[in-house]
Amino acid sequence: MASDSEVVNLFQVRASVTPAETLAKLSADCEALNIDKHDVYGDFNGSSSSSSLRKFEEEVAHYLGKEDAVFLPSGVMAQMIVLAIARSAGRSSFACHHTSHLLLHEHSSFDELLKMHAVVVGGVEKEKLVRDALRFDDAVAAVATAPAPDDVGVLFLECPHREVGGRLTPLEEVARLSRWCAERGVHFHMDGARLWEALPTYAAASSSEGNAVHAFTGLFDSLYVSFYKGLGGLAGAMLLGSRDYVRAARPWLRRFGGNVFTQLPTQVAAWAGFRENRDAFTARRDRLREVVAAVAQATGRASDDANGPLVRFDPPEPTASLVHVYLRLPAALTAVDASSPTAADEHCARVVAAATECIVRAARASGVRCISMIRARPVTIDGARHLAAYSEFNLGPLNGALPLDTWLRGYEALCGELQRLHEAATSE
């Protein structure tokens, strides 16, 4: 029986560091990047020869094939600036996938701050067990049936879609969406919070004879990228587009309170993370595919009946270095009681608690914890509503280096605990 301190965490993407170690690395990175002075209020009037911040923005813009870029404290601010520019141009609505961060995690900021309205794409499949990325036909239909189709000023496309396991809109459909937006004067924007994870798959699918990354990003009028997720920075985001577009975006940085005196710590960590990790994502995706295939095969053998595997990955073959992991719990536990809608929160808590107990027991028995945090969402299966227990999983430099035997030991133990939960439910 392993103690908590002895357990290997499969979900830990990078090694833990102390605040002092973080500050020491920032100092070393300043030396490596030749940063010898602070940026001040964004260095708006500076150039890449006089400002390290503007040099960083120029380097990322060049890498991603855009004319200019502006560094910001957060991705939420980047997305708000995109909406604010559209609002200033007289458009008061935008279109996005039903799992967009704008809808799920920002407390209706688009409405509260800008009085804009969302046209939701693909909402009819919200309760499907397997949900898709934004698709061309769904986007066109959503805009066409909106109360004011001509008022839609921006179409947001997340690459990859975090809330559906890192699924990607097919490249040919991204190109069709780009043309469709251009024909209608709709600004086509990429929510690229995890673009680095998606680039290897999109670049491989490109038929461009030139730079495949530029060919892909060139389909968008603007895009934003994050630096603290796969790249390992402290915080920070960047909004990229044409020179005129970024020039229009910079004043909004001040209007939204993001034009702070200096962004030196986040800028240094972001720049170093960009240089150190930008080329690592093909290997991370391929390693995750290897892990998922091996675990799926092993856990498939552990399943006891025709109801499907006890552990399921979505998508079955990852398209990025992230994937969703679903745990099959007893139907008696997950079935939603339609006659008692007020008990939804309590039901969700019971499902999460049951799944978490299995995870913890398996970790103590095997010395490997497979999953950090479980969530539950409503799904409809054969006409009946259930709560599906799942978790988001990301692969990074630390967990990616673990041997396959460690993964298999942990997941086989988890399947054993899930099997015991099913047997207990059957005997009741």
Side-chain angles (χ1 to χ4, degrees), residues 165-363:
R167 290 180 184 273
L168 304 176
T169 301
L171 179 58
E172 62 272 17
E173 293 194 28
V174 179
R176 290 178 68 193
L177 286 167
S178 179
R179 293 191 296 270
W180 181 83
C181 285
E183 291 166 1
R184 287 157 182 79
V186 175
H187 187 88
F188 192 28
H189 173 76
M190 183 208 300
D191 175 347
R194 292 165 178 77
L195 172 62
W196 316 109
E197 285 87 338
L199 273 180
T201 300
Y202 276 125
S206 175
S207 59
S208 172
E209 295 181 358
N211 187 307
V213 171
H214 292 186
F216 174 60
T217 58
L219 298 172
F220 297 87
D221 297 306
S222 64
L223 66 144
Y224 117 77
V225 293
S226 176
F227 293 95
Y228 76 88
K229 300 177 179 73
L231 292 179
L234 292 175
M238 199 171 282
L239 178 61
L240 304 97
S242 68
R243 287 189 179 85
D244 287 343
Y245 190 79
V246 174
R247 187 179 300 115
R250 289 186 189 278
W252 284 105
L253 185 60
R254 171 61 65 91
R255 290 166 184 152
F256 281 127
N259 189 211
V260 295
F261 178 68
T262 184
Q263 298 195 77
L264 183 71
T266 51
Q267 172 215 339
V268 172
W271 199 356
F274 171 69
R275 288 192 171 183
E276 291 167 8
N277 294 299
R278 67 189 179 194
D279 297 324
F281 292 95
T282 299
R284 292 183 190 178
R285 180 206 59 191
D286 292 347
R287 176 58 173 170
L288 183 57
R289 286 177 173 176
E290 181 184 9
V291 166
V292 165
V295 171
Q297 183 179 34
T299 57
R301 290 194 299 265
S303 297
D304 65 327
D305 53 37
N307 292 320
L310 293 165
V311 174
R312 179 178 64 85
F313 293 94
D314 184 43
E317 182 178 70
T319 52
S321 51
L322 72 104
V323 72
H324 281 182
V325 187
Y326 281 81
L327 306 183
R328 181 165 63 81
L329 303 179
L333 172 63
T334 62
V336 174
D337 183 358
S339 66
S340 182
T342 58
D345 289 344
E346 291 86 348
H347 186 195
C348 182
R350 289 197 304 273
V351 168
V352 169
T356 301
E357 184 176 358
C358 288
I359 293 165
V360 171
R361 287 178 179 273

Side-chain angles (χ1 to χ4, degrees), residues 113-144:
L113 297 178
L114 298 169
K115 302 304 178 186
M116 294 193 74
H117 311 288
V119 174
V120 180
V121 179
V124 294
E125 67 166 30
K126 183 182 294 185
E127 290 198 2
K128 287 184 177 180
L129 184 58
V130 176
R131 299 175 293 178
D132 205 353
L134 184 147
R135 304 303 294 266
F136 176 84
D137 289 342
D138 292 337
V140 171
V143 173

Side-chain angles (χ1 to χ4, degrees), residues 362-376:
R364 289 174 179 164
S366 67
V368 181
R369 178 157 180 163
C370 301
I371 295 170
S372 170
M373 182 180 69
I374 279 286
R375 294 185 283 176

Side-chain angles (χ1 to χ4, degrees), residues 104-116:
L104 300 184
H105 304 297
E106 298 182 19
H107 302 286
S108 301
S109 55
F110 57 87
D111 181 25
E112 296 290 342
L113 297 178
L114 298 169
K115 302 304 178 186
M116 294 193 74

